[in-house]
Amino acid sequence: MKTLTKLSKVGMISMISIACLGLAIVYRSITCVSIPRDDTFAESSPYLPPSWVDVYDAIPLLLSGYMCHFNAISVHNELIDPTPSRSNAITTSTIVISTLFYLAVGISGAQYARCTDDGIVSSNILLDFNDDDVLMDVGRVCLGITICFAFPMLIIPARDSLLRLYG
């Protein structure tokens, strides 16, 4: 395979799947937060992490979410009219969309702590939802689809780099 264009449908399925998972988390969080409780929303919603060590543990996760730079040259080469301004527009829009998605899911996930027994969301929020929750089971399947379908997008540029290096 010479180009990533042949994987566009696979990439689209992966994006739709992860969007479905994100929407499921946001929906469950909204339905949870809308349940009347004895405490106020501000009391049950911490704005700072319990420990700054948790912040340092989260930094690698945040950085890995933006690790797509190895595909930048392939994407640029596959544009119909590859100009620096078009590449910049694609990069900027991708980062903005990703950031908004991460913020929506992250804030919703943090608010879901109101529905857990101990008021804390685990590092894998999918473990906090009930096993018999059909919506979240669909979300888990969507995550699996995303991981499987994103794999070629990660491997092909690495393979091409190795082939250019040793070929």
Side-chain angles (χ1 to χ4, degrees):
M1 184 179 306
K2 299 283 184 195
T3 65
L4 292 175
T5 304
K6 295 179 181 177
L7 293 174
S8 63
K9 289 180 179 46
V10 172
M12 184 57 67
I13 292 169
S14 178
M15 295 300 294
I16 290 170
S17 294
I18 199 67
C20 288
L21 173 62
L23 289 173
I25 292 172
V26 170
Y27 176 76
R28 281 292 177 247
S29 178
I30 289 171
T31 56
C32 166
V33 171
S34 64
I35 297 171
R37 305 214 183 257
D38 294 335
D39 58 351
T40 65
F41 187 75
E43 290 173 351
S44 64
S45 301
Y47 293 104
L48 294 174
S51 164
W52 285 105
V53 173
D54 294 338
V55 173
Y56 295 127
D57 287 343
I59 289 173
L61 288 173
L62 293 172
L63 294 177
S64 67
Y66 296 99
M67 296 269 307
C68 60
H69 60 277
F70 50 83
N71 281 336
I73 294 172
S74 299
V75 169
H76 176 78
N77 290 336
E78 292 184 35
L79 291 173
I80 293 170
D81 182 25
T83 62
S85 63
R86 290 188 76 201
S87 292
N88 287 340
I90 289 171
T91 302
T92 302
S93 63
T94 302
I95 289 173
V96 168
I97 291 168
S98 298
T99 301
L100 293 174
F101 178 77
Y102 291 148
L103 282 171
V105 173
I107 291 169
S108 298
Q111 296 306 316
Y112 189 77
R114 294 185 74 195
C115 295
T116 61
D117 294 333
D118 56 359
I120 297 173
V121 178
S122 65
S123 60
N124 181 356
I125 191 169
L126 295 178
L127 297 175
D128 290 328
F129 296 104
N130 293 331
D131 292 336
D132 59 351
D133 187 343
V134 176
L135 178 64
M136 294 316 298
D137 285 343
V138 170
R140 289 177 182 103
V141 169
C142 287
L143 179 61
I145 289 170
T146 299
I147 291 169
C148 290
F149 283 10
F151 189 72
M153 299 293 280
L154 299 172
I155 296 300
I156 289 174
R159 181 203 67 180
D160 290 345
S161 296
L162 286 173
L163 289 176
R164 281 189 211 118
L165 184 63
Y166 295 114

